[in-house]
Every structure is written in structure tokens, then in C-alpha cells.
Amino acid sequence: YFDNGFVGQHHHVPTLVAGCFYVNAKPKMGNLKIHNPNETILTAMARNPQAKVAGFFDHELEVQDGKLVIFPSWIYHSTMPNKTDETRIIIAFMADADND
């Protein structure tokens, strides 16, 4: 869903790759967050409750006009909220291998 440019954590399985091209995206307009693919395993591990392991490997990509980001479709990702009054414009896409 969309709320102030925020899109919750999701993936694009069963496609092969996913990505986005930033047409109008400036600082504070909501970065792309790539979530740790091992998150499920890490949160199930017995560990020190004060250690911040889960989410440690999440990676935030700063938005920028003209930036192209492509990643495997099974990677969970989300967008951070747009904290400006300007509209962030992104061309999002998914691609699959030709089976012919």
C-alpha cells in the first residue's frame, strides 16, 4: 500500500528481477531499503536479547534522480516515507526470463 510514499516490506516472486528508475527523487523523499535475506533465520536464533542482530544487514539506498537499481525479485525491500511535499516519481519494473 502507499502512505506518504511509503511501501511496506515485500518481494516480487516469481519474477526473476525487480528494479526501479528514479525520475524525481531527492534527499528526504524516501530511500529504498533492502532487507536482510537471512532475517527469518537471525530472528529465530538464540542470542543475547541486547544484541542488535536482526536487521543489522539491512541496507538503505539513497534516492537520486537518474539512479537505476536492479535486484533479485526474492529480496525483501521497502521504501521509507516521503518527508517532503514534493511527489517522488519512480518507474518500477519486474522482468522474467523468456521461457521459449
Side-chain angles (χ1 to χ4, degrees):
Y1 68 92
F2 297 95
D3 182 17
N4 293 329
F6 169 82
V7 179
Q9 184 173 320
H10 65 284
H11 61 74
H12 296 283
V13 171
T15 60
L16 185 61
V17 296
C20 52
F21 178 74
Y22 293 95
V23 178
N24 183 42
K26 299 180 180 44
K28 298 186 181 180
M29 290 181 80
N31 290 337
L32 174 66
K33 189 170 186 180
I34 304 294
H35 297 276
N36 180 1
N38 294 315
E39 186 87 14
T40 304
I41 295 168
L42 291 173
T43 56
M45 290 172 53
R47 58 180 162 75
N48 178 345
Q50 295 179 358
K52 296 185 178 183
V53 176
F56 181 78
F57 296 105
D58 289 356
H59 184 71
E60 198 169 317
L61 297 169
E62 187 172 85
V63 298
Q64 178 182 355
D65 290 353
K67 184 181 262 188
L68 174 65
V69 180
I70 300 172
F71 48 90
S73 65
W74 53 266
I75 296 283
Y76 279 93
H77 56 284
S78 60
T79 60
M80 306 305 290
N82 182 349
K83 298 187 183 227
T84 71
D85 292 331
E86 200 174 340
T87 301
R88 180 180 64 209
I89 301 173
I90 300 168
I91 299 171
F93 61 88
M94 296 174 280
D96 219 346
D98 186 22
N99 293 329
D100 291 333

